[in-house]
Amino acid sequence: MADAVVLVSGGAAVTPYTDPERAAATGLAAGNTLTALREHFVSAGVAVFTAPARMGVGTVERDAGWQGFDDVPLVLPAEVTVNAVGAVDDAGVALAAFVRWLRDEHGLGSVDLVGHSMGGLFSRAAIRELRTDGPRVDRLVTLGTPWDGAVLGDAVAGDLTPADAHGDPATTAILEQTLAYAAANSQGAAEQVSRRFLRGWNQTQAGVLDGIPVTAIGAGHFAAATEPAQLWPHDGLVSLRSGRADDVPLEVVPVIDRHSFPDHVHSIFFADGFGLPWERALTWDPAVFAVVDSALGI
């Protein structure tokens, strides 16, 4: 196992910096994406850190939004803080800088990266940045990562429309709300989680994951139709196929273990919105954590 696990949240997520001993003292300790997963690792005695992330360039001091946090243990500089609504490669530069900061501050020679949603893309971009001067990335685990596109990006690109929901109320609502959300919040992220963009970007990543075992975990709670396969089944934001990297070429991801959680949703935001227990979210379920543990050799 690597010296530490680094948890990376996804698009539009606000996440505080945390270390094995310290987290936000008010609200959800590691934000509304990573709190349960972080607590799992802490309870297991694993050295775990969360990468700071926010919507826009800057630092993370609090999250006044839904299921937010305050009283963070340490505010890190903007240059090591991920802009969770910005471009993937820019987020990778910031995440790589954070991992180097961990090396310098905590003496880490190697890390395992666990990324949720776009956090998996940010992690892949960071791995490319870290190849020259480390620390070494031993393993990558992705949870609901849009390896091959997301509902949001494909809707923005015009490749998915409400007609593709085939009358399913939940999927219709998701598709109708994505364009407004992207227009209000995206600084490049929404456009870059489309299949159109990612199929080209994936080719530029060929060779980056050589020698790094990948575990890709997808979910597909919403399964009212079967076509288009670009959408169905999906977890509210990412299709099961995309989350599992089913259609990503071998030269991009040479060693991969794929897992499916068909009854799960993307996050506690979707669980809460559709009346499901939070444990049905990919980053909140002990059954998912068991797969992550196995992937990391815990």
Side-chain angles (χ1 to χ4, degrees):
M1 184 177 168
D3 294 337
V5 174
V6 176
L7 305 182
V8 186
S9 55
V14 183
T15 303
Y17 164 76
T18 73
D19 60 33
E21 290 79 34
R22 302 177 297 170
T26 303
L28 292 179
N32 60 39
T33 298
L34 299 176
T35 291
L37 185 56
R38 174 190 177 270
E39 179 57 35
H40 167 76
F41 283 120
V42 169
S43 298
V46 174
V48 59
F49 299 85
T50 58
R54 55 166 284 145
M55 295 174 66
V57 175
T59 59
V60 182
E61 299 178 14
R62 64 186 57 84
D63 177 13
W66 183 79
Q67 300 296 334
F69 58 84
D70 203 345
D71 301 316
V72 302
L74 180 64
V75 177
L76 296 184
E79 56 266 26
V80 300
T81 300
V82 172
N83 176 2
V85 292
V88 171
D89 288 329
D90 291 344
V93 170
L95 179 57
F98 171 69
V99 174
R100 294 188 190 104
W101 180 86
L102 290 177
R103 174 195 61 198
D104 297 341
E105 293 293 320
H106 295 274
L108 303 183
S110 62
V111 298
D112 291 330
L113 297 179
V114 179
H116 173 252
S117 194
M118 282 190 79
L121 301 180
F122 302 158
S123 296
R124 294 173 57 199
I127 291 169
R128 185 189 64 230
E129 296 291 325
L130 291 167
R131 285 188 301 176
T132 55
D133 59 352
R136 184 181 73 251
V137 176
D138 284 353
R139 300 172 186 83
L140 170 65
V141 178
T142 64
L143 306 168
T145 287
W147 286 81
D148 193 38
V151 174
L152 175 64
D154 291 338
V156 169
D159 295 327
L160 290 177
T161 71
D164 294 314
H166 297 289
D168 176 57
T171 303
T172 298
I174 290 166
L175 286 167
E176 288 177 342
Q177 292 168 15
T178 53
L179 293 177
Y181 183 84
N185 296 287
S186 178
Q187 298 174 15
E191 296 77 11
Q192 292 191 350
V193 287
S194 69
R195 174 182 281 189
R196 290 191 199 186
F197 176 84
L198 286 171
R199 290 203 163 175
W201 186 80
N202 280 334
Q203 292 302 319
T204 70
Q205 292 287 108
V208 170
L209 294 175
D210 288 358
I212 300 176
V214 173
T215 299
I217 302 171
H221 170 75
F222 301 98
T226 57
E227 295 293 336
Q230 186 172 351
L231 173 62
W232 297 100
H234 64 90
D235 64 8
L237 195 56
V238 177
S239 74
L240 179 63
R241 292 191 64 84
S242 183
R244 287 167 40 96
D246 285 352
D247 301 311
V248 177
L250 186 65
E251 61 267 24
V252 176
V253 55
V255 180
I256 185 167
D257 188 22
R258 297 178 169 93
H259 293 266
S260 302
F261 284 83
D263 60 344
H264 282 51
V265 292
H266 192 72
S267 65
I268 62 170
F269 178 82
F270 285 93
D272 202 69
F274 291 99
L276 301 170
W278 283 7
E279 289 77 14
R280 292 279 291 279
L282 282 173
T283 61
W284 224 267
D285 182 12
V288 177
F289 301 166
V291 175
V292 177
D293 286 353
S294 177
L296 301 182
I298 297 173

